[in-house]
Amino acid sequence: MSKKTQFASRIGLIAATVGSAVGLGNVWRFPAEVQEGGGAAFLLIYIGCVILLGIPVMLSEFALGRAGHSDAIGALKNVGASKRWWVVGGIAILASYLILSFYMVVAGWTLEYLVQSVTGGLFEPVAGEAGLNSHFTAKMEEYVTTDWPPLIFTFLMIFINLGILLGGVQKGIERMSNIMMPLFFLVLVVFVVVALSLPDAGAGLSFFLRPDFSKITGSTIVSALGQAFFSLSLGMGILITYSAYFSSKVPLVRTAVTVSLLDLLVAIMMGLVIFPAITSFGLDGETIRGASLVFVTLPEVFTHMGMPQLWSILFFFLLAVAALTSTISIAEVSVAFIIDRFHTSRIKACLIVSLPLLPISAVCSLSMGLWSDFTILGMNVFDFLDNFATNILLPVGSILLCIFLGWFAPRNLMYDQLSNHGTIRSRLIPAVIWIVKYLAPVLIAVVLVSTFL
Ligand code: TRP
């Protein structure tokens, strides 16, 4: 974050960091990954990745950000990294671009669903609808795989994002997220209660919570690791930029644990909504997978709640806000970098970052419909960018960061930051430092290499 846009309140820091972490990753990507990864076994590996690798990597970003006090590359420079370490910043910017390009598409769908909820279109019959169960599947097809409406909403989302970046990170998004994120959480609690009382909730729950280890493969582990980094906003230097504004009194370990557990909680709550809904509404055929999962199952849940339209409006509004707090954080990596390195104005930097997104996101959006036949390594462009950025770039960025902090940074940097210069004593601190130095780089590298074997 450039100096002009630092967050106003110190309390706002958890809200801002949680705001970056909680987003479409928890609501849309996590359930899809759980479904692909075979359910509870994936969940277990995911939790392991969050605790064993996610929290330590988050702490490396926090430590570097607070010690280096600048954007991702500036912070590296300020703690004495030589120029070749800047490649970490380069990876961060590439990853942030690729992630933004498909994230904006999904953010566009949430906006489209919000508008369709307000107009009531979401609940109107579609032509050629086979039965009630497939109503929202048909709607999803209509909204996502048609060529132009999703594209228009994607563009709208890019412009809203640009507007917030330009004007009011501090006034707008921070204040908004302080109110919206707790509200989002409360609404989720209601959905969980409703979903758990559905007739066939048990079967869905056992898929989500009873592990079948025979389903684990190398790619399950890579996906779980990628999802953990994605959901915690790691590997792109975003938290470096945010923590540059943490005061010297903030207890980093406790902050990282709080943020990570909140993020994990939201993901698990989504699982508790989605999987009971899938089995209860007979949606467990092959038809609804991945990208469309959430957009089909949630409206089904709403129809069982009384005033479905109202719930739908509320939910998609909050989801769109949650998506925006995340896109802002991703875009800010490049904006802060451009302002600090090239001394351009904020307006120019925001435009430089936002405008090229239009064509790239357009390709992603159209790859769901018109261009779905065009594939790279068997995936459409959308899935390819997602997999490449999430499962490869984020882990690589995290490995490099750990290697830098463990082996090349000033010797006491990690310890001084995590202990607030010796004033906090905790057994966790040496454990985290050990993980960052030895375990994390090796483990992440092994997982990554195993994908190519
Ligand atoms: N964590 C966000 C989500 O779950 C997405 C996100 C924000 C992100 N910043 C990031 C992902 C940085 C990777 C890296 O929706």
Side-chain angles (χ1 to χ4, degrees), residues 35 37 58 60 66-67 72 100 152 156 180 191 202 216 261 308 315 333 361-362 393 435:
Q35 192 191 38
M58 184 180 284
S60 324
R66 198 166 62 173
L100 265 181
I152 293 167
L156 265 176
M180 299 300 172
F191 293 168
I216 300 180
L261 293 187
F315 177 75
V333 180
S361 292
L393 291 182
I435 292 178

Side-chain angles (χ1 to χ4, degrees), residues 17-30 46 61 92 95-96 99 102-103 226-239 242 263 322-323 325-331 333 389-390 394:
T17 318
V18 172
S20 163
V22 174
L24 297 171
N26 310 60
V27 175
W28 159 76
R29 204 176 187 282
F30 175 77
Y46 176 72
E61 294 207 12
S96 64
I99 288 186
F102 70 84
Y103 203 97
Q227 174 63 22
F229 288 146
F230 187 93
S231 193
L232 296 174
S233 302
L234 300 175
M236 254 191 225
I238 284 170
L239 300 180
Y242 274 29
D263 185 73
T325 55
S326 299
T327 53
I328 296 283
S329 79
I330 308 178
V333 180
T390 308
L394 297 184

Side-chain angles (χ1 to χ4, degrees), residues 62-402:
F62 280 176
L64 181 59
R66 198 166 62 173
H69 224 278
S70 180
D71 64 88
I73 295 182
L76 282 165
K77 210 169 109 196
N78 290 350
V79 301
S82 61
K83 271 202 175 154
R84 60 198 158 115
W85 285 105
W86 292 18
V87 64
V88 180
I91 290 179
I93 288 173
L94 178 63
S96 64
Y97 237 87
L98 298 185
I99 288 186
L100 265 181
S101 63
F102 70 84
Y103 203 97
M104 283 297 186
V105 174
V106 185
W109 299 343
T110 63
L111 195 63
E112 189 174 8
Y113 268 74
L114 173 60
V115 171
Q116 294 291 352
S117 306
V118 173
T119 61
L122 181 58
F123 300 96
E124 276 161 20
V126 241
E129 183 172 314
L132 197 65
N133 271 349
S134 64
H135 171 83
F136 293 112
T137 317
K139 281 287 174 190
M140 177 78 194
E141 298 252 302
E142 183 185 326
Y143 296 155
V144 166
T145 59
T146 49
D147 303 324
W148 309 117
L151 190 59
I152 293 167
F153 283 105
T154 300
F155 281 10
L156 265 176
M157 221 46 187
I158 294 176
F159 284 117
I160 296 174
N161 190 59
L162 173 63
I164 299 173
L165 277 176
L166 276 179
V169 168
Q170 201 185 82
K171 282 182 228 109
I173 204 79
E174 183 184 0
R175 253 181 239 156
M176 191 154 79
S177 68
N178 284 352
I179 302 168
M180 299 300 172
M181 297 311 284
L183 188 60
F184 182 68
F185 198 78
L186 284 183
V187 170
L188 276 191
V189 173
V190 176
F191 293 168
V192 170
V193 173
V194 173
L196 290 183
S197 56
L198 289 170
D200 253 335
L205 275 186
S206 85
F207 173 78
F208 185 49
L209 299 176
R210 203 174 296 149
D212 172 0
F213 291 103
S214 67
K215 296 227 176 90
I216 300 180
T217 62
S219 78
T220 321
I221 303 178
V222 183
S223 304
L225 188 69
Q227 174 63 22
F229 288 146
F230 187 93
S231 193
L232 296 174
S233 302
L234 300 175
M236 254 191 225
I238 284 170
L239 300 180
I240 298 179
T241 327
Y242 274 29
S243 56
Y245 298 96
F246 288 5
S247 88
S248 58
K249 299 212 181 63
V250 173
L252 295 185
V253 178
R254 210 194 303 156
T255 306
V257 171
T258 310
V259 172
S260 305
L261 293 187
L262 279 175
D263 185 73
L264 181 62
L265 187 63
V266 173
I268 290 179
M269 285 165 72
M270 278 317 293
L272 294 178
V273 177
I274 303 289
F275 295 105
I278 292 182
T279 47
S280 298
F281 302 129
L283 300 171
D284 33 4
E286 278 301 298
T287 44
I288 305 168
R289 304 202 73 83
S292 53
L293 190 57
V294 164
F295 292 95
V296 173
T297 47
L298 276 176
E300 289 284 359
V301 174
F302 302 152
T303 56
H304 283 69
M305 291 179 66
M307 297 187 293
Q309 194 175 355
L310 213 66
W311 285 110
S312 184
I313 293 172
L314 184 63
F315 177 75
F316 286 113
F317 173 69
L318 292 172
L319 187 55
V321 174
L324 275 174
T325 55
S326 299
T327 53
I328 296 283
S329 79
I330 308 178
E332 189 66 28
V333 180
S334 310
V335 171
F337 170 75
I338 291 174
I339 294 179
D340 291 354
R341 292 306 122 207
F342 303 109
H343 304 287
T344 53
S345 66
R346 186 163 179 90
I347 300 184
K348 252 196 220 153
C350 292
L351 287 174
I352 293 173
V353 171
S354 300
L355 295 184
L357 267 183
L358 295 170
I360 308 179
S361 292
V363 173
C364 275
S365 179
L366 290 173
S367 78
M368 300 301 288
L370 193 60
W371 293 345
S372 58
D373 290 340
F374 178 77
T375 57
I376 310 170
L377 299 176
M379 292 175 264
N380 65 23
V381 174
F382 181 109
D383 290 332
F384 174 76
L385 290 184
D386 181 356
N387 277 300
F388 176 64
T390 308
N391 294 344
I392 297 180
L393 291 182
L394 297 184
V396 168
S398 302
I399 294 182
L400 291 176
L401 186 74
C402 288

